[in-house]
Amino acid sequence: MSVMDKLKQMLKGHEDQAKTGVDKAGDMIDERTQGKYRSQVDTAQQKADEFIDENRQDNPPQ
């Protein structure tokens, strides 16, 4: 089983909590780096949110 498969299993039913965690982690990184890497952090947050949305339990892949 790949790491991505394990992530998908862990996310099932907890998508909203995962998105909240991604946002909080990104905000913490921005704060600690004083915004030095804000654009990279924002990109990573966006990609993580897209991954979560694509693998939502109530939104099966097409």
Side-chain angles (χ1 to χ4, degrees):
M1 181 178 285
S2 73
V3 172
M4 295 304 279
D5 291 336
K6 289 181 182 181
L7 277 173
K8 289 176 187 178
Q9 276 185 331
M10 289 177 9
L11 284 174
K12 284 185 183 179
H14 303 286
E15 293 88 356
D16 294 332
Q17 290 174 334
K19 289 181 88 167
T20 300
V22 167
D23 290 338
K24 285 183 179 183
D27 293 344
M28 183 191 70
I29 293 168
D30 279 338
E31 183 180 317
R32 289 193 177 187
T33 61
Q34 299 172 350
K36 185 175 181 180
Y37 303 104
R38 181 167 287 144
S39 64
Q40 292 92 334
V41 171
D42 289 344
T43 300
Q45 284 177 300
Q46 184 179 15
K47 296 287 185 183
D49 285 344
E50 288 172 6
F51 175 81
I52 293 168
D53 288 339
E54 289 172 2
N55 292 289
R56 284 189 88 82
Q57 186 174 9
D58 56 349
N59 185 18
Q62 297 178 3

